[in-house]
Amino acid sequence: MTTVAAIQMVSTPDVAENIATARRLVAQAAAAGATLVSLPEYWPIMGMSDTDKVAHAEHPGAGPIQDFMADCARGHGIWLIGGTLPLVSSDAGKVLNTTLVYNPDGEPAGRYDKIHLFGFNKGDESYDEARTIVPGAHVGTFEAPFGRVGLSVCYDLRFPELYRAMGECALIVVPAAFTYTTGSAHWEVLLRARAIENQCYVLAAAQGGTHQNGRRTFGHSMLIDPWGAVKTVLAEGEGVIKGEIDLAVQANVRESLPALKHRRM
């Protein structure tokens, strides 16, 4: 079995402060035996405005955020899934919202640029990620020692076809910053649905609290097994959740209910 962990944060506009928090929480996860750790979406910066992240966009392979993640993975000997960070895009006024993966040697092992960009308008709440983010174009996976890991981010959760395109995974990760409004209605049911229909583990690392910019994120970082059972969850506030990836459990689910083999489309 493999121990995995998700980091929950309440990120601020201060990149250095967020790095310090992530450093402490990843160390806590590693000390608890986790060999794969995921950070949440937007962990390095939750700005006072959506455009703040553009000023902190890094070029691939260079910058303090990436340096921290590589050092952290290498220092603890873990697979680190770096939530998301802003990378430069072809549009000077926008960024890519990117998940980078590092292996236990601190080397790049995977990348996924968020494809589906969140848009929501209800009452006093309004969000439009397309104003500051360029969408990605490619499905992201990587091979971990226990099997294939599928990469997705937050709003992707509402598009099941993305997960089918990943192929058969042992684990799907979902770093996120779900709003409290949408999260309280849909977060858990969507995560459980993705686990059930793909018969794999789902690890969701979330933002969870009220941020300095006034935004409230839902939290509820969790690990879900291939049967759709929630194994562990953290409601709000910063912290760490951990659990086991048991391939025997996954194999049993797929043998007893071979839905993936029964697909016709």
Side-chain angles (χ1 to χ4, degrees), residues 52-59 86-89 94-95:
D52 288 356
K53 60 181 173 286
V54 178
H56 293 277
E58 297 184 354
H59 291 273
L87 288 185
V88 295
S89 75
K94 297 182 179 182
V95 300

Side-chain angles (χ1 to χ4, degrees), residues 19 23 26 63-78 80 102-107:
I19 287 176
R23 188 186 307 278
V26 171
I65 299 171
Q66 293 169 85
D67 289 346
F68 158 74
M69 291 190 292
D71 290 346
C72 204
R74 182 170 52 250
H76 293 293
I78 60 171
L80 182 64
Y102 296 86
N103 69 20
D105 293 322
E107 300 168 339

Side-chain angles (χ1 to χ4, degrees), residues 16-17 28 84 91 101 181 183 186-187 210 218 226 233 236-237 258 263:
E17 179 182 342
Q28 181 180 329
T84 67
D91 186 329
V101 181
T181 300
H186 303 145
W187 173 245
T210 301
F218 184 62
V233 62
E236 286 192 288
R263 291 175 59 204

Side-chain angles (χ1 to χ4, degrees), residues 5-12 15-32 34 37-40 43 68-69 71-73 76 78 80 234 237-241:
I7 305 300
Q8 185 160 292
M9 294 176 60
V10 187
S11 292
T12 75
V15 172
E17 179 182 342
N18 296 327
I19 287 176
T21 299
R23 188 186 307 278
R24 172 170 48 83
L25 294 174
V26 171
Q28 181 180 329
V37 179
S38 177
L39 290 161
W43 74 265
F68 158 74
M69 291 190 292
D71 290 346
C72 204
H76 293 293
I78 60 171
L80 182 64
L234 173 62
E238 68 175 43
V240 177
I241 60 109

Side-chain angles (χ1 to χ4, degrees), residues 178-192:
F178 252 62
T179 68
Y180 188 86
T181 300
T182 58
S184 57
H186 303 145
W187 173 245
E188 181 178 323
V189 70
L190 287 171
L191 288 169
R192 294 182 68 199

